[in-house]
Amino acid sequence: MSKVLFLNGSPRVNGNTSIAIREMENVFRNSGVEVTTMQIGNKDIRGCIACNQCSEIGKCVFDDIVNELAPLFEAADGLVIASPLYYASANATLIACLDRLFYSTSFDKSMKVGASVVCARRGGCSATFDELNKFFTISNMPIASSRYWNSIHGCEKGEAEMDEEGKQTMRMLAKNMTFLMKSIELGKKEYGLPEQEERTATNFIR
């Protein structure tokens, strides 16, 4: 059974971001995909300080929810990152979590399917969508897409329920993500994962 981990970057429980997530959760469950959703935006999460202790102790030096998420992320076949927009950007708490989660975990993230979801009153969706996708593209994670950019709109609590196109976009995203995860699982059995090269890091200043 495929597993998907949702990270809800909203500080508001059952807010508009949750509406988008629920549309996806329903599709996943109906498709036999196991779902775990974690509310991140209301947690006290500090940013990375580049101490690099994680490379020595195998986890982030700040022992908070980031270290709780690590085994869930490792076990998941897909990761959905969802965020409301603040100043045309993702919630800073979510970004702090993602910075530390991706950097402090050494397990291979190759071919885990990623998807980002954004919720706005009006503008900034595309910029935030691109911002969140960068976590996937540096980690060998294919990105699931929909028939429109993965955004939903609403300001006051519950308004996203009226965005029928946005909700449809979420359902299509979940369907496409399910197909990708199942296809990748079949591909692993038939062909294995792509061969990895030893990483070459080139510094611009020596």
Side-chain angles (χ1 to χ4, degrees):
M1 177 185 291
S2 297
K3 298 180 181 180
V4 169
L5 173 64
F6 280 88
L7 301 184
N8 186 345
S10 175
R12 297 178 180 176
V13 177
N14 293 321
N16 288 318
T17 305
S18 295
I19 291 172
I21 289 174
R22 280 198 296 271
E23 292 293 321
M24 297 185 69
E25 287 175 331
N26 290 336
V27 172
F28 283 135
R29 291 193 176 109
N30 289 336
S31 301
V33 176
E34 183 180 324
V35 174
T36 301
T37 301
M38 303 291 286
Q39 189 95 23
I40 301 301
N42 58 359
K43 304 298 183 185
D44 185 13
I45 304 174
R46 64 164 301 152
C48 179
I49 60 170
C51 67
N52 212 33
Q53 286 295 299
C54 54
S55 64
E56 297 181 19
I57 64 175
K59 63 179 182 177
C60 185
V61 69
F62 301 117
D63 197 16
D64 57 13
I65 193 170
V66 171
N67 288 336
E68 296 176 29
L69 292 172
L72 298 177
F73 185 15
E74 184 173 13
D77 302 291
L79 176 67
V80 179
I81 302 169
S83 180
L85 267 64
Y86 301 124
Y87 285 90
S89 182
N91 182 356
T93 302
L94 175 64
I95 295 300
C97 175
L98 294 173
D99 283 345
R100 289 173 48 210
L101 178 63
F102 274 77
Y103 190 76
S104 66
T105 49
S106 59
F107 58 81
D108 187 9
K109 302 170 183 66
S110 297
M111 296 302 128
K112 292 180 183 291
V113 180
S116 59
V117 169
V118 295
C119 179
R121 180 190 72 87
R122 189 171 178 87
C125 288
S126 295
T128 306
F129 181 62
D130 292 341
E131 176 187 17
L132 295 177
N133 282 338
K134 289 181 175 65
F135 288 95
F136 307 135
T137 57
I138 200 173
S139 304
N140 280 331
M141 295 175 62
I143 297 174
S145 60
S146 187
R147 62 178 56 174
Y148 194 79
W149 295 295
N150 306 338
S151 59
I152 197 167
H153 290 80
C155 182
E156 298 301 322
K157 187 174 182 178
E159 283 185 347
E161 287 284 4
M162 295 183 285
D163 185 1
E164 294 298 334
E165 184 177 358
K167 291 193 295 181
Q168 186 181 67
T169 299
M170 299 305 142
R171 293 192 297 271
M172 196 71 233
L173 173 61
K175 291 175 184 177
N176 290 345
M177 192 169 177
T178 299
F179 177 81
L180 268 177
M181 289 187 296
K182 291 181 177 180
S183 297
I184 288 171
E185 183 60 31
L186 288 173
K188 285 180 182 178
K189 293 176 182 176
E190 184 70 22
Y191 305 109
L193 287 171
E195 182 180 352
Q196 299 292 315
E197 295 185 17
E198 184 176 348
R199 185 180 178 189
T200 300
T202 303
N203 296 333
F204 293 110
I205 300 175
R206 296 181 180 277

